């Protein structure tokens, strides 16, 4: 609506759209308190962490791995210009994820696709499940 | 709210709209949306964006430990100004962000009128 400089006769259900968008907008979603949102999966071999960070060049994301923590750090930069609307989050962010099992730091891989970063963290060799054969 | 709007209701994606010297720019966050699942239409003075994300776990056998985001159907409409040259609108989808460039129409650029 802000970018709407069309003639005043062209009302185009603006009011209807206003209410419609207000109730559907992501700002209405109260789960936005932590950024970036992430999903964590576990398999027998390790963890997979998916981080939802659209619009950030993968080279600008800093991933740090300690024995039990994964730290995602970065910055969303604003373009220079005259803003009519600014809804996308901007600024620095950091999120620390604790893992309850040590991971093999040298084998951690990450790739980014369509704004979703996928980090694969294999469990440390000593932590993997092992079948023990019973001898009688 | 009309029935039609409700039926189409999806999530309104976070959007930045800003003006630079060359024209207007619209940036829309669409994480997980592939370019083939995104439609950008201009009809008269309405620009509509709709897309659905196709985010999926690496493997369906994985155990979910923690979930904060999932798939969405994104929908949003904008009314374009008469200042915009609709024929020259460009769209790029990169890293989950749709970048729209809306150049100003040549005729709308400021022009000084000579007084005789």
């Amino acid at each position: 609506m802000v970018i709407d400089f069309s003639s005043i006769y062209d009302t185009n259900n603006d009011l209807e759209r206003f209410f419609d968008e207000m109730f559907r907008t992501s700002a209405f979603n109260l789960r936005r308190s932590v950024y970036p949102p992430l999903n964590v999966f576990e398999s027998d071999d390790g963890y997979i962490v998916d981080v939802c960070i659209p619009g950030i060049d993968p080279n600008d994301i800093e991933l740090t791995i300690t024995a039990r923590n994964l730290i995602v750090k970065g910055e969303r930069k604003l373009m220079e210009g005259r803003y009519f609307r600014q809804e996308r989050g901007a600024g620095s962010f950091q999120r620390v994820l604790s893992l309850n099992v040590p991971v093999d730091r040298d084998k951690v891989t990450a790739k980014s696709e369509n704004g979703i970063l996928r980090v694969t963290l294999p469990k440390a060799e000593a932590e993997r499940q092992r079948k023990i054969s019973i001898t009688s | 709210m009309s029935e039609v709007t409700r039926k189409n209701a999806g999530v309104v994606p976070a959007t930045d709209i800003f003006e630079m010297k060359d024209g207007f720019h619209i940036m829309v966050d669409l994480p997980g949306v592939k370019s083939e699942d995104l439609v950008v239409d201009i009809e008269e003075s309405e620009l509509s964006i709709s897309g659905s994300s196709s985010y999926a776990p690496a493997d369906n056998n994985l155990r979910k430990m923690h979930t904060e985001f999932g798939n969405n159907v994104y929908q949003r409409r904008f009314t374009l100004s008469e200042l915009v040259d609709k024929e020259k609108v460009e769209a790029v989808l990169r890293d989950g962000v749709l970048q729209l460039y809306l150049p100003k129409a040549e005729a709308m650029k400021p022009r000084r009128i000579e007084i005789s």
Side-chain angles (χ1 to χ4, degrees):
Chain A
M1 249 183 289
V2 182
I3 202 167
D4 187 2
F5 304 105
S6 44
S7 67
I8 53 167
Y9 306 106
D10 189 14
T11 47
N12 236 325
N13 300 326
D14 273 351
L15 191 67
E16 181 183 298
R17 190 193 302 177
F18 171 76
F19 284 111
D20 187 40
E21 290 197 350
M22 190 173 80
F23 289 113
R24 288 195 290 131
T25 191
S26 48
F28 231 68
N29 189 341
L30 295 172
R31 228 170 36 182
R32 283 260 149 175
S33 50
V34 283
Y35 189 87
L38 45 84
N39 292 347
V40 186
F41 302 93
E42 189 192 12
S43 70
D44 295 338
D45 302 329
Y47 298 98
I48 290 172
V49 180
D50 290 339
V51 191
C52 185
I53 31 176
I56 300 171
D57 191 303
N59 297 320
D60 291 341
I61 304 166
E62 201 185 312
L63 275 177
T64 317
I65 182 101
T66 63
R68 281 174 186 270
N69 286 324
L70 172 73
I71 303 159
V72 187
K73 224 167 147 180
E75 194 185 349
R76 284 190 82 162
K77 289 172 193 134
L78 272 189
M79 301 271 284
E80 291 280 327
R82 202 158 69 92
Y83 275 78
F84 297 99
R85 263 192 199 197
Q86 213 257 299
E87 299 166 355
R88 300 166 65 233
S92 304
F93 61 83
Q94 172 175 298
R95 196 144 180 212
V96 181
L97 180 77
S98 325
L99 307 159
N100 54 14
V101 161
V103 295
D104 191 343
R105 272 184 278 175
D106 300 330
K107 287 187 183 145
V108 174
T109 55
K111 72 176 183 129
S112 172
E113 207 179 329
N114 302 320
I116 295 168
L117 176 77
R118 173 162 290 165
V119 189
T120 311
L121 307 117
K123 282 181 194 169
E125 202 57 53
E127 294 296 331
R128 293 204 187 167
Q129 285 185 11
R130 224 168 298 152
K131 274 202 179 129
I132 298 155
S133 53
I134 305 162
T135 49
S136 54
Chain B
M1 272 173 254
S2 69
E3 197 55 42
V4 184
T5 336
R6 235 182 270 149
K7 243 184 251 166
N8 293 336
V11 171
V12 175
T15 303
D16 285 357
I17 301 173
F18 54 96
E19 185 185 357
M20 281 160 76
K21 274 189 188 139
D22 57 348
F24 300 97
H25 293 260
I26 302 180
M27 312 268 273
V28 189
D29 274 354
L30 300 166
V33 178
K34 292 179 186 154
S35 54
E36 59 261 37
D37 298 327
L38 177 65
V39 179
V40 181
D41 273 327
I42 297 182
E43 208 184 312
E44 289 181 31
S45 63
E46 283 256 309
L47 182 134
S48 66
I49 297 165
S50 70
S52 44
S53 58
S54 48
Y55 161 75
D59 182 346
N60 284 324
N61 300 321
L62 296 172
R63 291 182 290 275
K64 264 186 204 169
M65 293 181 77
H66 187 77
T67 310
E68 288 175 358
F69 69 94
N71 279 320
N72 277 322
V73 175
Y74 294 101
Q75 243 157 12
R76 194 146 184 179
R77 287 179 294 157
F78 301 96
T79 305
L80 294 180
S81 143
E82 284 164 8
L83 297 171
V84 169
D85 188 343
K86 289 169 200 134
E87 303 299 316
K88 289 185 184 154
V89 173
E90 289 169 25
V92 180
L93 183 68
R94 194 166 154 249
D95 292 332
V97 176
L98 172 69
Q99 305 174 8
L100 290 167
Y101 167 51
L102 306 99
K104 285 182 199 169
E106 207 56 50
M108 292 294 174
K109 284 193 178 149
R111 182 169 57 101
R112 183 161 289 178
I113 296 156
E114 292 297 326
I115 303 162
S116 55

